[in-house]
Coordinates of all heavy atoms in Angstrom, one line a residue:
L139 N 21.4 31.5 77.9 CA 22.0 30.6 78.9 C 21.0 30.2 80.0 O 20.9 29.0 80.4 CB 23.2 31.2 79.5 CG 24.4 31.3 78.5 CD1 25.5 32.1 79.2 CD2 24.9 29.9 78.2
A140 N 20.2 31.1 80.5 CA 19.3 30.8 81.6 C 18.4 29.6 81.3 O 17.9 28.9 82.2 CB 18.5 32.0 82.0
T141 N 18.1 29.4 79.9 CA 17.1 28.3 79.6 C 17.8 27.0 79.8 O 17.1 26.0 79.7 CB 16.6 28.4 78.2 OG1 17.7 28.3 77.3 CG2 15.9 29.8 78.0
F142 N 19.1 27.0 80.0 CA 19.7 25.6 80.2 C 19.6 25.1 81.6 O 20.1 24.0 81.9 CB 21.2 25.7 79.7 CG 21.4 25.7 78.2 CD1 20.8 26.8 77.4 CD2 21.9 24.6 77.5 CE1 21.0 26.8 76.0 CE2 22.0 24.5 76.1 CZ 21.5 25.7 75.4
T143 N 19.2 25.9 82.5 CA 19.1 25.5 83.9 C 17.9 24.6 84.1 O 16.9 24.7 83.4 CB 19.0 26.7 84.9 OG1 17.8 27.5 84.5 CG2 20.1 27.6 84.8
D144 N 18.1 23.6 85.0 CA 17.0 22.7 85.4 C 16.3 21.9 84.2 O 15.1 21.6 84.3 CB 15.8 23.5 86.1 CG 16.4 24.3 87.3 OD1 17.4 23.9 87.9 OD2 15.9 25.4 87.6
R145 N 17.1 21.6 83.2 CA 16.7 20.8 82.1 C 17.3 19.4 82.2 O 18.4 19.3 82.8 CB 17.0 21.4 80.7 CG 16.7 22.9 80.6 CD 15.2 23.1 80.4 NE 14.5 22.3 79.4 CZ 13.3 22.5 79.0 NH1 12.5 23.4 79.6 NH2 12.7 21.7 78.1
R175 N 23.1 18.1 84.4 CA 22.1 19.1 84.8 C 22.9 20.4 85.4 O 23.9 20.3 85.9 CB 21.3 18.5 86.1 CG 20.2 19.5 86.5 CD 19.1 18.8 87.4 NE 18.3 17.9 86.5 CZ 17.1 18.2 86.0 NH1 16.6 19.3 86.3 NH2 16.5 17.3 85.3
L176 N 22.2 21.5 85.1 CA 22.7 22.8 85.6 C 21.6 23.3 86.6 O 20.7 24.0 86.3 CB 22.9 23.7 84.5 CG 23.4 25.1 84.9 CD1 24.7 25.1 85.6 CD2 23.5 26.0 83.6
P177 N 21.7 22.8 87.9 CA 20.6 23.2 88.8 C 20.6 24.7 89.1 O 21.8 25.3 89.3 CB 20.9 22.4 90.1 CG 21.8 21.3 89.7 CD 22.6 21.9 88.6
N178 N 19.5 25.3 89.1 CA 19.4 26.8 89.5 C 19.8 27.0 91.0 O 19.7 26.1 91.8 CB 18.0 27.2 89.4 CG 17.8 28.4 88.5 OD1 18.5 29.5 88.8 ND2 16.9 28.4 87.5
L179 N 20.2 28.2 91.3 CA 20.4 28.5 92.7 C 18.9 28.8 93.3 O 18.0 29.4 92.6 CB 21.2 29.8 92.7 CG 21.8 30.2 94.1 CD1 22.7 29.1 94.7 CD2 22.7 31.5 93.8
A180 N 18.7 28.3 94.5 CA 17.4 28.5 95.1 C 17.1 30.0 95.3 O 18.1 30.8 95.4 CB 17.3 27.9 96.5
I181 N 15.9 30.4 95.2 CA 15.5 31.8 95.4 C 16.0 32.4 96.6 O 16.3 33.6 96.7 CB 14.0 32.0 95.0 CG1 13.8 33.5 94.7 CG2 13.2 31.6 96.2 CD1 12.5 33.8 94.0
H182 N 16.0 31.5 97.7 CA 16.5 32.0 99.0 C 17.9 32.4 99.0 O 18.4 33.1 100.0 CB 16.4 30.9 99.9 CG 15.0 30.2 99.9 ND1 14.8 29.2 98.8 CD2 13.9 30.2 100.5 CE1 13.6 28.8 99.0 NE2 13.0 29.4 100.0
M183 N 18.7 32.0 98.0 CA 20.1 32.5 97.9 C 20.3 33.5 96.7 O 21.4 33.9 96.3 CB 21.0 31.3 97.6 CG 21.1 30.3 98.8 SD 21.2 28.7 98.1 CE 21.0 27.8 99.6
N184 N 19.2 33.7 96.0 CA 19.3 34.6 94.9 C 18.0 35.5 94.8 O 17.2 35.3 93.8 CB 19.5 33.8 93.5 CG 19.8 34.7 92.3 OD1 20.1 35.9 92.5 ND2 19.8 34.1 91.2
V187 N 16.5 37.4 91.8 CA 16.4 36.8 90.4 C 15.2 37.2 89.5 O 15.4 37.4 88.3 CB 16.5 35.3 90.5 CG1 15.3 34.6 91.2 CG2 16.7 34.6 89.1
N188 N 14.1 37.5 90.2 CA 12.9 37.9 89.4 C 12.9 39.3 89.0 O 12.2 39.7 88.1 CB 11.6 37.5 90.1 CG 11.4 36.0 90.3 OD1 11.9 35.3 89.4 ND2 10.8 35.6 91.3
G191 N 16.8 39.1 86.6 CA 17.0 38.1 85.6 C 18.1 37.2 86.1 O 18.9 37.5 87.0
L192 N 18.2 36.0 85.5 CA 19.2 35.0 85.9 C 20.5 35.3 85.2 O 20.6 35.2 83.9 CB 18.8 33.5 85.6 CG 19.7 32.5 86.0 CD1 20.0 32.5 87.6 CD2 19.2 31.2 85.6
K193 N 21.5 35.7 85.9 CA 22.8 36.0 85.2 C 23.8 34.8 85.6 O 23.9 34.6 86.9 CB 23.4 37.3 85.7 CG 22.5 38.4 85.2 CD 23.0 39.8 85.8 CE 22.1 40.9 85.4 NZ 22.0 41.9 86.4
L194 N 24.4 34.2 84.7 CA 25.3 33.2 84.9 C 26.8 33.6 84.6 O 27.0 34.0 83.5 CB 24.9 31.9 84.1 CG 23.6 31.3 84.5 CD1 23.0 30.4 83.4 CD2 23.7 30.5 85.8
E199 N 30.0 29.3 86.6 CA 28.7 28.8 87.0 C 28.0 28.0 85.9 O 26.9 27.7 86.1 CB 27.8 30.1 87.3 CG 28.3 30.8 88.6 CD 27.6 32.1 89.0 OE1 26.8 32.5 88.1 OE2 27.8 32.6 90.1
I203 N 26.6 19.2 86.3 CA 26.9 18.1 87.3 C 26.6 16.8 86.6 O 25.6 16.6 86.0 CB 26.0 18.4 88.5 CG1 26.5 19.6 89.2 CG2 26.0 17.1 89.4 CD1 25.6 20.0 90.5

Side-chain angles (χ1 to χ4, degrees):
L139 288 173
T141 64
F142 283 68
T143 59
D144 304 329
R145 307 293 304 187
R175 183 164 291 261
L176 179 58
N178 233 310
L179 195 56
I181 197 163
H182 314 80
M183 297 145 183
N184 191 10
V187 66
N188 292 330
L192 181 62
K193 292 175 189 151
L194 294 158
E199 293 179 350
I203 294 178

